[in-house]
Amino acid sequence: MADIRYDGRVAIVTGAGAGLGRTYALEFARRGAKVVVNDLGGARDGSGASQSAADKVVDEIKALGGQAVANYDSVATVAGGENIVKTAVDAFGKVDILINNAGILRDKSFVKMTEDEWDLVVSVHLRGAFCVSRPAFNVMRENGYGRIVNTTSGAGLYGNFGQANYSAAKMGLVGLMNVLNIEGAKYNIKTNTIAPVAASRLTEDVLPPDLFGKLKPEYVMPLVLFLASEANVDSGMIFNCGAGWYSRTAIVCAKGVTIGDGKRPIAVEEIQAQWNAIKGLDEAKPLGSVAESFAYMMPLLS
Ligand code: NAI
């Protein structure tokens, strides 16, 4: 197998001053990419800011002989997102790869969650992906090439106590991917989403201590780098990854049941009578767009 390289490619990694993002940025640079290391440098809960997180990773990349520039903007503002992309264009002329990775946590059980806790977490994860992806997508569209990787979470995909804000935002990233997948198709822009599990400051009090040391970010990194490479031609997919386990997960649509003829009313009792078939996942499969779901209804509409 030929080496996967990023020579001539420009990668933006948001939240690259620590954890998963740092491992991506280092490996992109080792394999020839020019890298924008974005990090606000705040605390785990999103408070504060510091340039040292991004600077340190840029120094590490330069020490390896790689090329990188730092950016300290928050992903959560339109101006910040535009400046992150401008940093790439000014320093390296374009953007080929965007890893939407920056993140924070403010966990609280749902009834205790404040508006601020909701808004801040949604703004970094979901609004942040919008603010950076929109200007990056524009540049990628002009160049007819792009690879975007969003970061969701098992908490969003499957649920986790105390993370309503985070889980809702993380599922929003799946919705964003679904549309970028469709809108990017004719420009060779591939967008995928990962659900990682890895030791970092975000998970130090979430993961059991005996597992923490084993769940190295370096096990997530190869999947992200593959998805961001020219070798990857798939788009619109979600992948679990951690400790060397890589698996696709998907939102699926089941075959379901047809009741009535599309003309007569349907009684509540008919739903009850068919409940097991309705909630069953027979012949479930992922769909490429909402239009595909209409195919199931067409016999009733003609
Ligand atoms: P981390 O806390 O080590 O890294 C996140 C980085 O994002 C930090 O360096 C932080 O300063 C930066 N950041 C935070 N807010 C920012 C903002 N507004 N603008 C720019 N940078 C900002 O955490 P980790 O674990 O590396 O997380 C990376 C991503 O992976 C996050 O999106 C997280 O939600 C996601 N994730 C991580 C999991 C894990 O097991 N570590 C599990 C599921 C998802």
Side-chain angles (χ1 to χ4, degrees):
M1 256 184 287
D3 282 356
I4 290 187
R5 301 273 315 169
Y6 306 88
D7 303 298
R9 296 289 179 204
V10 178
I12 295 174
V13 183
T14 70
L20 288 163
R22 175 179 161 273
T23 65
Y24 310 153
L26 285 166
E27 192 65 17
F28 274 128
R30 276 193 201 104
R31 289 172 180 259
K34 296 167 184 145
V35 183
V36 174
V37 176
N38 157 263
D39 207 291
L40 178 64
R44 181 186 194 255
D45 69 357
S47 58
S50 155
Q51 300 195 344
S52 63
D55 283 344
K56 225 174 126 249
V57 175
V58 169
D59 290 346
E60 281 184 86
I61 290 173
K62 287 187 174 160
L64 293 166
Q67 294 186 67
V69 289
N71 170 281
Y72 318 110
D73 285 292
S74 171
V75 296
T77 68
V78 165
E82 281 172 355
N83 201 45
I84 293 166
V85 172
K86 185 173 181 296
T87 302
V89 173
D90 288 352
F92 304 128
K94 59 176 180 166
V95 181
D96 300 299
I97 296 163
L98 169 62
I99 314 297
N100 284 314
N101 168 78
I104 60 166
L105 283 180
R106 291 210 174 182
D107 295 356
K108 201 66 81 60
S109 64
F110 186 52
V111 288
K112 293 187 184 141
M113 187 166 286
T114 65
E115 185 180 355
D116 280 354
E117 286 160 349
W118 176 273
D119 285 347
L120 191 68
V121 167
V122 172
S123 79
V124 172
H125 291 276
L126 183 54
R127 186 177 155 81
F130 161 71
C131 293
V132 187
S133 299
R134 191 178 54 165
F137 195 89
N138 253 324
V139 177
M140 291 171 178
R141 212 169 54 134
E142 278 163 23
N143 294 332
Y145 183 87
R147 296 289 182 270
I148 299 174
V149 181
N150 285 352
T151 310
T152 186
S153 166
L157 295 169
Y158 316 119
N160 199 24
F161 190 93
Q163 295 195 309
N165 50 0
Y166 180 73
S167 301
K170 285 305 203 188
M171 276 311 272
L173 284 155
V174 174
L176 177 66
M177 169 193 73
N178 288 337
V179 174
L180 298 192
N181 172 41
I182 291 167
E183 295 191 8
K186 68 176 173 195
Y187 306 107
N188 191 18
I189 301 173
K190 314 283 188 198
T191 306
N192 290 284
T193 300
I194 61 148
V197 182
S200 77
R201 69 177 185 173
L202 282 192
T203 47
E204 61 198 352
D205 61 359
V206 181
L207 295 171
D210 53 324
L211 299 185
F212 191 78
K214 295 176 185 158
L215 287 159
K216 297 189 192 321
E218 284 76 8
Y219 287 116
V220 174
M221 177 276 290
L223 175 67
V224 171
L225 266 83
F226 175 71
L227 291 172
S229 71
E230 283 169 48
N232 170 43
V233 293
D234 285 312
S235 187
M237 296 185 184
I238 312 166
F239 300 94
N240 298 295
C241 51
W245 173 58
Y246 307 96
S247 138
R248 183 172 171 200
T249 196
I251 294 172
V252 293
C253 179
K255 181 169 167 258
V257 291
T258 300
I259 307 175
D261 58 3
K263 294 176 187 74
R264 72 160 176 87
I266 292 168
V268 180
E269 291 74 15
E270 290 182 89
I271 301 294
Q272 184 187 26
Q274 296 276 14
W275 189 237
N276 285 335
I278 292 171
K279 74 176 180 183
L281 283 171
D282 284 2
E283 295 181 42
K285 59 175 191 186
L287 304 182
S289 72
V290 66
E292 286 183 23
S293 71
F294 274 72
Y296 293 94
M297 289 180 272
M298 280 326 275
L300 295 165
L301 299 173
S302 52

